Amino acid sequence: MAVSLINPDRHVHVPLYHHVAVATGSRQVHIAGQVAWDENGELVAPGDLAGQVAQVYRNVAKALDAAGATFHDVVRFTWYAAGWKREMYDAFNAGVEQAAREFDLATPPAALIGVDILFEPGILVEAEVTAIID
């Protein structure tokens, strides 16, 4: 496997998360910002952060598969959340947990960046993903 996920000793432990990804593969996969659209470009789960996070994971899964990769090849998730407030974390995490029930997720380093708005009204989250494959 091209990616090893690590939590350093004597470092804060965060559930569903690793602080370090070590990649040894030879091909990089960069997935453009994925939002909660279905295959017809329709927004999935309007107003439902957990539902949109889960749909983003579904779209990332398709993109990874198209590149010959899986979630275990991912070295970084960068999330953008419209109107982010700390009290949104539980709903965000519920979406991650839903995706974990659907997919064999790895938990690579990630960033969650609050923004005023995303591509169009109603989109609550977007994710850019980087993977490394042999």
Side-chain angles (χ1 to χ4, degrees), residues 109-133:
L112 177 59
I113 302 164
V115 297
D116 290 333
I117 58 172
L118 289 165
F119 179 69
E120 65 182 29
I123 294 176
L124 303 176
V125 289
E126 181 171 339
E128 295 177 330
V129 178
T130 303
I132 302 292
I133 54 179

Side-chain angles (χ1 to χ4, degrees), residues 36-83:
W37 285 338
D38 66 12
E39 62 275 3
N40 299 313
E42 298 295 325
L43 184 62
V44 172
D48 175 8
L49 180 58
Q52 288 197 23
V53 168
Q55 182 63 33
V56 168
Y57 271 99
R58 291 179 196 113
N59 292 342
V60 169
K62 292 175 193 173
L64 288 168
D65 186 60
T70 73
F71 282 108
H72 289 275
D73 299 310
V74 173
V75 295
R76 181 154 191 84
F77 259 88
T78 302
W79 289 93
Y80 302 91

